[in-house]
Amino acid sequence: MRIVFSGATSLTITTARTLIKEGHDVIIIEADKEKIDQISDELGCSFLHGDSAKPARLSQVDPKNSDILFCLTNSDQVNIITSLLGRLMGFKRVITSIKDTDLVQLCRELGLEDTIIPV
């Protein structure tokens, strides 16, 4: 499987490690270049520097040929926008992390049914 992550959070890193060990192709999009530099040596995957909520950046990971988009940044708003873009661009499955439980209903209304609510 080809799996794309938006945001290099601790959840991303943990999940990516497992998926890489299982032989999946992993790409992480991260806005903070320093964060990419810190973790790129420990993870055997591809990185793309930039804002995943921008259509031009998200299109660079070839959404139609990617299986899953995990939106796991620390910003609910970025996660929602990236999820909507990902769905429109052709990702087969989009998973959205939402910390503010007040936004869960909005996600459902927008058709973002696969949500993660971290505790």
Side-chain angles (χ1 to χ4, degrees):
M1 282 184 143
R2 190 162 196 264
I3 301 164
V4 177
F5 290 89
S6 168
T9 62
S10 58
L11 179 58
T12 296
I13 294 166
T14 301
T15 307
R17 265 195 200 109
T18 300
L19 293 169
I20 292 165
K21 285 180 186 175
E22 293 177 0
H24 297 288
D25 181 21
V26 172
I27 301 168
I28 299 173
I29 305 170
E30 173 56 50
D32 182 350
K33 179 72 168 116
E34 288 181 27
K35 194 174 237 181
I36 292 172
D37 293 341
Q38 291 171 353
I39 63 173
S40 61
D41 289 340
E42 68 180 86
L43 291 176
C45 66
S46 300
F47 289 88
L48 180 61
H49 176 240
D51 183 351
S52 61
K54 304 281 184 180
R57 182 63 67 213
L58 194 57
S59 68
Q60 290 182 305
V61 297
D62 194 14
K64 291 182 179 174
N65 290 311
S66 299
D67 296 291
I68 301 173
L69 171 63
F70 283 96
C71 300
L72 304 177
T73 72
N74 290 318
S75 167
D76 289 348
Q77 290 78 7
V78 169
N79 291 341
I80 290 170
I81 291 169
T82 303
S83 294
L84 292 170
L85 282 172
R87 189 178 64 194
L88 288 172
M89 294 176 134
F91 281 92
K92 293 172 183 80
R93 185 172 181 197
V94 176
I95 299 171
T96 312
S97 176
I98 301 296
K99 293 179 183 120
D100 183 349
T101 56
D102 290 339
L103 296 173
V104 172
Q105 183 59 35
L106 173 65
C107 287
R108 288 190 183 119
E109 290 173 13
L110 292 171
L112 301 174
E113 298 171 11
D114 290 326
T115 56
I116 298 171
I117 305 168
V119 286

